[in-house]
Amino acid sequence: MDPHEAEPGRSTAGAVTGLPLLLLRLEGAALLVASVFLYVEFGRSWLFFALLLFVPDVGMLGYLADTRIGAVAYDVFHTLVGPTALLVVGVATDATGATAVAIIWFAHIGLDRALGYGLKYADAFQHTHLGTIGRR
């Protein structure tokens, strides 16, 4: 079987493969490590970190409506745009809480990417830009 072909019943259309996939997952790991390092330097509560780490997954609630709405909702919470804007506002206004939340949000996205959870396509929750997730 060609390594770029999907397993029967699995789509890889629109998914990264090979070395680019490895590099994107390593980028995710690097983002997670950098976020944890910054959080250590920032000096906030680890309980706060633990409580907020998975809050971005609230975007999955969109899947209760349908896969298209779910994909959009999930992706809005899993791009770097939101935490970057929050970090800029937090640093510019010396809002330490906003800065801490932004760092935790970056950590979540990095963890997801390192584990292979990518941005979602509208056809199925399992279809991501990093490939198909779930049981094989």
Side-chain angles (χ1 to χ4, degrees), residues 40-133:
V40 167
E41 292 299 307
F42 192 64
R44 294 294 261 180
S45 158
W46 285 106
L47 178 59
F48 188 67
F49 185 94
L51 290 173
L52 295 185
L53 184 60
F54 293 102
V55 167
D57 284 336
V58 73
M60 285 191 285
L61 292 175
Y63 283 97
L64 295 173
D66 68 27
T67 57
R68 185 184 55 78
I69 292 170
V72 169
Y74 182 92
D75 289 351
V76 163
F77 286 97
H78 288 82
T79 64
L80 299 175
V81 175
T84 299
L86 185 59
L87 181 67
V88 168
V89 168
V91 170
T93 63
D94 202 27
T96 58
T99 302
V101 169
I103 293 169
I104 295 166
W105 196 351
F106 281 125
H108 175 89
I109 293 170
L111 176 63
D112 272 10
R113 294 294 195 288
L115 294 175
Y117 294 96
L119 298 175
K120 309 296 184 195
Y121 288 101
D123 62 336
F125 176 80
Q126 297 82 4
H127 188 193
T128 80
H129 83 288
L130 297 179
T132 304
I133 58 172

Side-chain angles (χ1 to χ4, degrees), residues 26-38:
L26 288 173
E27 268 186 356
L31 179 60
L32 174 61
V33 169
S35 298
V36 170
F37 174 79
L38 287 172

